[in-house]
Amino acid sequence: MLVLLTYDVSTETADGKKRLNRVAKKCLSYGQRVQNSVFECNIDWSKYLELQNELKAIINTEKDSLRFYNLGNNYSQKVIHIGIKPSVDFEGDLIV
């Protein structure tokens, strides 16, 4: 299923900047960055819950926020992209 993940991490302190870096690195291990604080993750339900728990352990819920948008398995008609940074076709061939 495709999950759109957005985050807002307060960077007013050095600790906040560290949290921001940790959140971004964690998100990169699950999906692709499509905007500065926005990731597309094509993951199954167990990975979805795992990602939520790992990010909840990183953020400060008093200062930061996470938003998860579950677009499901039939997402191809729900996402329209215009401009630079084309997305990865999760269903296409993988060339390494």
Side-chain angles (χ1 to χ4, degrees), residues 11 13 18 23 26 47 53 62 71 77 79 88 90:
T11 57
T13 64
K18 288 179 188 176
V23 167
K26 183 60 63 181
K47 289 289 185 187
N53 288 328
E62 303 282 320
L71 299 176
Q77 300 300 314
V79 179
V88 172
F90 293 113

Side-chain angles (χ1 to χ4, degrees), residues 19-65:
R19 286 195 316 274
L20 176 65
N21 287 332
R22 290 180 62 206
V23 167
K25 285 181 183 178
K26 183 60 63 181
C27 291
L28 279 170
S29 68
Y30 283 87
Q32 69 171 336
R33 183 187 303 264
V34 293
Q35 298 286 327
N36 286 337
S37 297
V38 181
F39 283 79
E40 289 179 349
C41 306
N42 194 1
I43 52 181
D44 63 24
W45 188 256
S46 64
K47 289 289 185 187
Y48 178 58
L49 297 177
E50 182 180 287
L51 175 59
Q52 283 185 7
N53 288 328
E54 290 178 6
L55 290 175
K56 281 192 283 188
I58 295 171
I59 69 163
N60 177 337
T61 57
E62 303 282 320
K63 298 178 180 181
D64 310 327
S65 68

